[in-house]
Amino acid sequence: MAPITPSREEFDEIPTVVGIFSAFGLVFTVSLFAWICCQRKSSKSNKTPPYKFVHVLKGVDIYPENLNSKKKFGGDDKNEVKNKQAVPKNSLHLDLEKRDLNGNFPKTNLKAGSSSDQENVTPKLFSEGEKEAVSPDSLKSSTSLTSEEKQEKLGTLFFSLEYNFEKKAFVVNIKEARGLPAMDEQSMTSDPYIKMTILPEKKHKVKTRVLRKTLDPAFDETFTFYGIPYTQIQELALHFTILSFDRFSRDDIIGEVLIPLSGIELSDGKMLMNREIIKRNVRKSSGRGELLISLCYQSTTNTLTVVVLKARHLPKSDVSGLSDPYVKVNLYHAKKRISKKKTHVKKCTPNAVFNELFVFDIPCDGLEEISVEFLVLDSERGSRNEVIGRLVLGAAAEGTGGEHWKEICDFPRRQIAKWHMLCDG
């Protein structure tokens, strides 16, 4: 019996069938891959959010969608319903409706020297209807002060601390500051704002908005940090820096407040605290450090070669740990800046090695009207970098700066290096 062989038409149908099955297989594979990606994305969104802060301004709560719940950090407790007559609904935010355009409360007629008046102020700041614990140490700042202490008094900072166990969130509310000194001598007022850092990590930095022309700023701004275990709270510390904004120069530092969190129990609820603002004098007592600079003047090409070599004994950045220094080099001609350069940032060190060379073209003959300014700054992510120390080299400079300048003028084409003490910025 002869074997049956498929016809030519059946051979033509085989590729068509294979193509149809391949198309269905491709569609199925793509659909399965898209479904798996969606499942992974939805599972990630349900996890605890990473360690980050959520800024709450003027009582408006901002949360990720997956954290929405009936109970907000700034919301009312059930126990507060009984006290509605004595306490506003949003008592945490200190009667926002009564503020002026700057967000401040209307001033009350208080005498600075009266201790009884100060006692009357404290209950008004934080209503008794809230279920909150007051630190015993915070009561010390409300006592009367002597005349000498009042002259040095830089004001008081009011804030609250809270831990939300459900969301593993550490909540800091910067409420207000009272009795700040006037940093603007013409208007006899300040434009204050506050920078806050969680120590010892130093990388979690936040700041409030600037309030214009006030010595009693009411910020009422909440910063929420997620993912911090409650057991870790005792190892942290809060550092507040109170500043006054200056549009035309570096902001003025009013003072600072350091709060170690060891011994502060947050399991019972919100903790209302206030601390006296102290003068920031850490760097002046320990010195600004030294900078090693090498200079060479090329009279033939009329160029100045500047080499930033090293820095040593740099002070700590505030009270938060080591600095992240870098050097900014400014070239001046007749008191006008004509060029600027800067080195790379060196992380977490008081003794930085830069070894960076810069060549400046001199627009005039000789160095009589030329000067070089060196600013050693601490790199701070997300905020204005702070000046650690300053050095000026030139014909009119005093001390080692003037001596170094005279040597490079007397001995052109020679590279001369010297250590210089940094002064206040």
Side-chain angles (χ1 to χ4, degrees):
M1 184 175 182
I4 300 174
T5 59
S7 64
R8 187 178 187 84
E9 294 179 355
E10 292 177 346
F11 272 116
D12 293 339
E13 291 177 358
I14 292 176
T16 305
V17 174
V18 172
I20 293 174
F21 276 105
S22 299
F24 278 110
L26 180 63
V27 172
F28 176 77
T29 304
V30 172
S31 302
L32 180 63
F33 179 75
W35 181 80
I36 293 174
C37 291
C38 292
Q39 290 295 110
R40 288 182 178 178
K41 186 175 181 181
S42 61
S43 63
K44 283 184 179 180
S45 63
N46 293 328
K47 292 181 180 180
T48 304
Y51 186 1
K52 62 180 181 179
F53 74 88
V54 177
H55 191 179
V56 183
L57 177 61
K58 286 191 175 180
V60 180
D61 295 332
I62 306 172
Y63 289 89
E65 293 181 358
N66 57 311
L67 291 180
N68 284 334
S69 60
K70 294 182 180 180
K71 186 176 180 181
K72 304 290 188 181
F73 293 146
D76 301 324
D77 267 346
K78 294 181 180 179
N79 296 335
E80 294 177 354
V81 178
K82 301 178 181 179
N83 300 315
K84 281 187 177 179
Q85 296 181 354
V87 184
K89 185 177 180 180
N90 289 329
S91 55
L92 175 60
H93 303 293
L94 305 179
D95 259 346
L96 295 175
E97 294 78 5
K98 295 181 181 180
R99 296 185 178 188
D100 57 20
L101 295 178
N102 286 332
N104 301 323
F105 295 105
K107 294 183 178 180
T108 54
N109 297 325
L110 297 177
K111 296 181 181 179
S114 174
S115 60
S116 60
D117 289 340
Q118 293 182 1
E119 293 174 358
N120 294 332
V121 172
T122 306
K124 292 181 181 179
L125 294 175
F126 310 117
S127 305
E128 295 177 357
E130 296 184 44
K131 183 183 176 182
E132 297 169 339
V134 180
S135 170
D137 296 335
S138 64
L139 300 177
K140 297 179 182 179
S141 60
S142 61
T143 57
S144 59
L145 302 173
T146 63
S147 58
E148 293 181 358
E149 290 174 336
K150 287 177 181 177
Q151 291 177 359
E152 299 177 357
K153 186 176 173 63
L154 299 177
T156 307
L157 177 65
F158 295 85
F159 58 96
S160 69
L161 307 177
E162 182 184 7
Y163 190 81
N164 186 287
F165 290 90
E166 180 182 357
K167 296 180 174 64
K168 293 183 180 179
F170 178 51
V171 185
V172 181
N173 179 262
I174 301 178
K175 295 184 176 296
E176 62 181 342
R178 285 187 173 269
L180 298 180
M183 306 306 290
D184 189 343
E185 297 180 355
Q186 294 182 352
S187 62
M188 293 305 296
T189 185
S190 296
D191 297 328
Y193 69 98
I194 297 176
K195 295 197 314 187
M196 186 189 74
T197 306
I198 295 183
L199 308 181
E201 294 178 344
K202 188 188 172 184
K203 62 182 180 181
H204 304 291
K205 301 176 182 179
V206 294
K207 64 180 178 180
T208 68
R209 68 197 188 283
V210 177
L211 296 183
R212 302 288 184 180
K213 299 185 183 303
T214 176
L215 301 180
D216 302 306
F219 300 101
D220 194 22
E221 299 192 34
T222 301
F223 300 91
T224 306
F225 299 86
Y226 291 101
I228 304 181
Y230 182 72
T231 54
Q232 186 184 350
I233 296 294
Q234 297 291 321
E235 303 173 3
L236 304 178
L238 296 180
H239 181 240
F240 300 91
T241 304
I242 298 86
L243 305 99
S244 179
F245 175 77
D246 192 329
R247 186 182 299 274
F248 304 104
S249 63
R250 194 169 68 252
D251 295 347
D252 298 315
I253 299 176
I254 297 175
E256 64 183 357
V257 173
L258 178 65
I259 306 295
L261 298 181
S262 58
I264 296 180
E265 185 62 47
L266 300 178
S267 59
D268 297 333
K270 187 184 282 84
M271 178 81 72
L272 297 179
M273 309 177 73
N274 62 70
R275 289 290 188 274
E276 296 297 326
I277 301 171
I278 62 174
K279 187 176 181 180
R280 186 174 164 211
N281 200 24
V282 176
R283 286 182 178 161
K284 291 182 180 179
S285 60
S286 59
R288 299 282 178 163
E290 299 176 78
L291 192 62
L292 179 60
I293 300 296
S294 178
L295 299 177
C296 178
Y297 173 56
Q298 294 286 349
S299 56
T300 54
T301 58
N302 208 29
T303 58
L304 180 65
T305 302
V306 177
V307 184
V308 181
L309 295 170
K310 298 179 181 181
R312 66 185 180 189
H313 308 316
L314 297 180
K316 292 183 179 180
S317 174
D318 304 329
V319 292
S320 57
L322 299 176
S323 303
D324 300 329
Y326 70 97
V327 181
K328 187 175 180 180
V329 185
N330 297 318
L331 182 72
Y332 286 87
H333 175 238
K335 297 183 179 181
K336 179 182 179 181
R337 188 174 69 178
I338 58 176
S339 183
K340 61 180 179 179
K341 308 282 185 181
K342 66 178 180 179
T343 69
H344 293 87
V345 177
K346 302 299 178 180
K347 294 290 186 180
C348 300
T349 176
N351 303 304
V353 178
F354 298 102
N355 284 337
E356 297 192 37
L357 181 146
F358 307 104
V359 179
F360 296 96
D361 294 324
I362 305 301
C364 57
D365 294 331
L367 300 177
E368 289 78 12
E369 297 183 348
I370 299 296
S371 62
V372 184
E373 178 189 46
F374 299 87
L375 295 175
V376 182
L377 300 103
D378 179 24
S379 176
E380 295 193 18
R381 185 180 303 173
S383 61
R384 184 178 297 186
N385 297 335
E386 188 177 349
V387 177
I388 297 176
R390 179 174 178 266
L391 169 66
V392 177
L393 301 184
E398 299 179 355
T400 58
E403 296 172 2
H404 196 173
W405 197 259
K406 186 175 183 303
E407 287 187 40
I408 66 169
C409 293
D410 295 341
F411 303 98
R413 299 184 300 277
R414 181 184 298 180
Q415 201 80 28
I416 302 176
K418 281 186 180 295
W419 281 101
H420 299 274
M421 296 289 295
L422 297 172
C423 61
D424 294 344

